[in-house]
Amino acid sequence: MSKRLGFAALSASLALTLAACGGEGAGGSGGAGSSAAAEDLTIGVSMPTQTSERWINDGNSVKQQLEDKGYTVDLQYANDDIPTQSQQIDQMITEGADILVIAAIDGTALSGQLETAASNDIPVISYDRLIRDSANVDFYVSFDNFAVGQAQANALLTGLGIKNEDGSAGSATGPFNIELFAGSLDDNNTHFFFDGAMDVLQPLIDDGTLVVKSGQTDIEQVAILRWQQETAQKRMEDLLTGTYNDGSKVNGVLSPYDGLSRGIITALTNAGYGPTLSSQPNPMAVVTGQDAEIASVKLINDGVQSSTIFKDTRKLAEQAVIAAQAFAEGNQPEANNTDTYDNGVKVVPSYLLPVQTVYKDNIQSVLIDSGYWTADEVAKGQSD
Ligand code: BGC
């Protein structure tokens, strides 16, 4: 049977007070007390989907690192289906999970599950995507998501030649036609990515350096439900046949995720762009990305996709494990941000990691030298 931690039910301040006094957290009703041996604890890890490689890497890293510390791990993927994720979490709770690590599909859809978790004294760690509208989110581990959006916009400007990789002014002045894409509106990150990107792009749209020829600049107009590659491809095809049917060209596309980028690149390729960024007379448009998925890293290496944003899922997993460990020991995890991530009910204490922009010329130093991908995998476009 589960050794409930009796911790999540404590208010953060009480928990902090207890921790500061060097005391132990209160034991839950019938629970094992605040500090339990890893061997006695089961951690439920709920990931959104296996269709995107990044979540497979996240799941594997979290599981591996927790098991290395002696925890039992119940890892589930929800196939991007909200009821499936809810059921999986319900089941984790029923089967005695002591701590939950959740990357939500829809950040607003898990209040019921979190309510049950709280009443069973199960701490909840929100993984990468903030769970919204619930007081029962105990900690958040993620990257600096606003900075991701800014980095994507800067990578777009770099690809167009308006900026250099080091941030200094480039030689190109435009005007350039661009189009904007955003992720799934039910993912809290989508808004941070888009706001971060627009923080950089809006002044250049305002001064005419960048022209969003479709006129579609609202997040609702450019969002792609469930981050689906096919939906992004379809939207890009519609833009090409609708907006660019007068002989004009799209020079750049802000894409927030590699899967979407590949859909966008397919649409562009089918319309005669490329195959590469240096092809003449009709070069591939500058397309950004996120996650350093292996298929996209190959495209970057081949000069087709312009950039991606690397988020080291091994380090994120490590932070989730550190947070889980703190809860297991009856402590509050250490936050490095306590004011950005308001989930609608409370500001969730967070640990945010930095990100890196990857272009063709730093694949080696950022991705290969760090052991994230091998040179062979990059050449093949497939993980081993
Ligand atoms: C993650 C991104 C990912 C996207 C699609 C977001 O919540 O932060 O890294 O590209 O989901 O899976």
Side-chain angles (χ1 to χ4, degrees):
M1 244 336 264
S2 153
K3 307 274 192 303
R4 304 292 195 197
L5 291 169
F7 196 77
L10 289 175
S11 73
S13 57
L14 174 57
L16 283 169
T17 310
L18 287 166
C21 295
E24 299 190 347
S29 49
S34 63
S35 184
E39 285 68 26
D40 294 333
L41 298 179
T42 298
I43 304 194
V45 180
S46 171
M47 290 283 150
T49 178
Q50 277 174 303
T51 57
S52 159
E53 184 183 87
R54 91 145 270 199
W55 297 113
I56 299 175
N57 292 341
D58 284 278
N60 290 341
S61 294
V62 175
K63 185 173 186 332
Q64 183 67 52
Q65 293 183 35
L66 285 170
E67 286 178 349
D68 287 350
K69 295 209 177 314
Y71 297 96
T72 301
V73 178
D74 180 2
L75 168 64
Q76 304 285 337
Y77 290 91
N79 203 18
D80 256 342
D81 183 56
I82 299 164
T84 301
Q85 185 162 46
S86 306
Q87 278 159 19
Q88 288 176 339
I89 296 171
D90 283 337
Q91 195 164 350
M92 286 173 185
I93 297 172
T94 312
E95 289 178 358
D98 299 283
I99 297 173
L100 291 172
V101 177
I102 303 173
I105 297 165
D106 177 333
T108 63
L110 295 173
S111 304
Q113 280 65 37
L114 264 50
E115 194 81 50
T116 317
S119 57
N120 283 286
D121 297 337
I122 302 171
V124 172
I125 299 165
S126 190
Y127 188 91
D128 196 48
R129 297 172 170 177
L130 184 64
I131 302 174
R132 294 192 54 84
D133 304 340
S134 170
N136 305 314
V137 185
D138 298 286
F139 201 68
Y140 179 44
V141 291
S142 189
F143 296 86
D144 184 339
N145 294 303
F146 191 80
V148 169
Q150 290 177 313
Q152 288 169 336
N154 281 319
L156 178 64
L157 299 180
T158 302
L160 291 169
I162 297 172
K163 275 191 181 174
N164 297 316
E165 278 182 33
D166 65 5
S168 60
S171 54
T173 51
F176 292 110
N177 290 329
I178 64 161
E179 293 298 335
L180 310 171
F181 281 70
S184 198
L185 288 174
D186 52 12
D187 180 344
N188 193 59
N189 287 346
T190 292
H191 306 270
F192 279 82
F193 300 153
F194 193 72
D195 290 349
M198 291 311 268
D199 179 56
V200 174
L201 299 180
Q202 192 65 54
L204 297 171
I205 295 172
D206 291 344
D207 75 11
T209 307
L210 300 174
V211 178
V212 183
K213 194 159 185 279
S214 66
Q216 296 177 17
T217 54
D218 290 343
I219 193 166
E220 285 79 16
Q221 294 173 302
V222 306
I224 301 293
L225 183 65
R226 295 283 113 71
W227 300 89
Q228 290 288 317
Q229 176 166 342
E230 305 72 34
T231 315
Q233 181 177 335
K234 174 77 173 59
R235 176 164 181 259
M236 191 69 232
E237 285 165 358
D238 290 348
L239 288 167
L240 290 169
T241 51
T243 303
Y244 296 91
N245 61 1
D246 57 0
S248 59
K249 299 286 178 215
V250 59
N251 306 115
V253 182
L254 175 81
S255 167
Y257 156 54
D258 285 343
L260 304 190
S261 313
R262 293 195 296 276
I264 291 162
I265 287 171
T266 301
L268 289 162
T269 306
N270 291 344
Y273 286 76
T276 72
L277 289 154
S278 54
S279 300
Q280 292 302 331
N282 198 7
M284 176 52 65
V286 172
V287 181
T288 62
Q290 173 168 210
D291 292 343
E293 292 201 331
I294 193 62
S296 288
V297 176
K298 176 178 167 41
L299 288 177
I300 295 170
N301 201 39
D302 291 347
V304 179
Q305 184 171 320
S306 182
S307 63
T308 189
I309 306 301
F310 174 50
K311 309 201 312 196
D312 195 333
T313 50
R314 299 166 301 188
K315 293 196 175 143
L316 184 60
E318 194 181 314
Q319 287 309 320
V321 172
I322 291 171
Q325 182 106 0
F327 283 125
E329 289 167 357
N331 297 321
Q332 271 290 326
E334 195 185 318
N336 66 2
N337 180 301
T338 49
D339 50 27
T340 305
Y341 286 95
D342 186 335
N343 79 346
V345 176
K346 71 181 215 190
V347 179
V348 183
S350 312
Y351 197 97
L352 307 180
L353 292 162
V355 300
Q356 273 175 294
T357 306
V358 174
Y359 302 97
K360 184 180 165 105
D361 62 13
N362 64 356
I363 289 175
Q364 177 72 41
S365 60
V366 177
L367 299 176
I368 299 176
D369 292 351
S370 73
Y372 198 74
W373 298 124
T374 64
D376 187 50
E377 288 170 319
V378 172
K380 284 189 309 202
Q382 259 180 18
S383 58
D384 287 333

